[in-house]
Amino acid sequence: MIKGILFDVDGVIFDSEEFIRQSYYDWYKKRHNIKITYEDLLPYTGTGEPTSIEGLGKTFGLDFDLEEDKKGIYDCYEQIIQGVLKLMPGVRAFIENAKKAGLKLSLATSADRTKLNSSMKATGLGPENFDFIVSGDMVTRTKPDGSIYRYAASGLVLPNEECLVVEDALSGHIAAKRAGSPSLGVESSFPAEPQILSGADCVIKDLSAFPAFSTLEEFNEKWEQLCRSFREKSVIGKLLERAEAAIKNAYAPYSNFRVGAAVLTEKGNIYGGCNVENASFGATICAERGAAMTAVEAEGKTKFRALAIVSQSFEPAPPCALCRQFFSEFADTEMQVYLLSLKSGTYRHTNFGSLLPFAFEFEDK
Ligand code: THU
């Protein structure tokens, strides 16, 4: 059960992403005499100033001072937002509902407190609305590291599984998953699909699309419903559908344990597989490896972005250890994994890094 909300700030609470970009454009023109573009900044969305400034410094070969650049950007930001910064649609009502429902609320931003304070002052949404606030200057590792969201959950005295993260950035969804929290995406900076493939459980336009609620139970029901209907119409639904089609041909006369799998490759193609057993037992091939073999046959060297597995066991079946090692050849820690029991309807979402930390890699030395 979700008992707390951990909000990312820029692009979730404040409609600030455009002003942040403008501050970077202005400051880099003024101080370094270079023209920064939207594309230059996109990979750093949500990562905080140190990561962005260092990244830009490297890209453009700049001689820079981190503190000077940070102060310059924040000063530009403070000037630009006066009288124009707004809350994102639906924020006020969502916070009111959440307070009524007894949800605990935290802010968790990679940006420094200075910038958060400027935004709060400009919009009138003050710190009294939140039970706990974590800003970038309070942690040594910013998003996509999970520490900001771990810190925020501990500030609410809740485990991460019971805290829903609300994010607009890919780095933020990755951070949420690393901390062990489910996450809801809003579409201020990125479309739905890349957010899903970074770990979002559900993506909506903004918080005004979240249905009204007034109790904790009602909030949790609405969240579950939202996830289920989103899943059906998203790439997650397509993957599960493909796995369900594959399970029909599972050949499991010995165990009678039928499994269907589907992988999504970096090219956006989906391939299915089913388990194929053998009288020797040991020669049996799992559904996951079947799907992986088909994908490699079709695309050659490829990368898997997501894996869906369906089974008829009561608990959804995770991939076996052999399949995990096999997949580590074609997947990184951010490959999303969706598990569904066709018997009980139980659904689980995790990622490859949680299933196989510290994977063996061949080093040819
Ligand atoms: N199996 C899979 O296909 N995938 C898994 O992740 C676990 C196990 C199959 C292999 C065998 O045919 C049956 O399930 C029972 O182990």
Side-chain angles (χ1 to χ4, degrees), residues 169-214:
L170 308 186
S171 56
H173 288 296
I174 296 172
K177 281 289 159 297
R178 288 184 180 168
S181 278
S183 65
L184 166 65
V186 293
E187 286 182 89
S188 346
S189 304
F190 296 92
E193 190 156 314
Q195 294 196 61
I196 296 171
L197 297 178
S198 301
D201 295 274
C202 172
V203 183
I204 54 181
K205 191 169 175 293
D206 52 52
L207 283 173
S208 68
F210 200 99
F213 58 95
S214 54

Side-chain angles (χ1 to χ4, degrees), residues 32-52:
H32 300 289
N33 198 28
I34 55 167
K35 204 169 170 262
I36 301 278
T37 65
Y38 177 83
E39 282 71 29
D40 293 328
L41 291 177
L42 202 58
Y44 305 114
T45 309
T47 62
E49 273 52 62
T51 311
S52 320

Side-chain angles (χ1 to χ4, degrees), residues 154-186:
S154 72
L156 298 182
V157 204
L158 288 170
N160 274 96
E161 312 84 270
E162 294 179 9
C163 293
L164 176 66
V165 164
V166 189
E167 261 294 346
D168 70 320
L170 308 186
S171 56
H173 288 296
I174 296 172
K177 281 289 159 297
R178 288 184 180 168
S181 278
S183 65
L184 166 65
V186 293

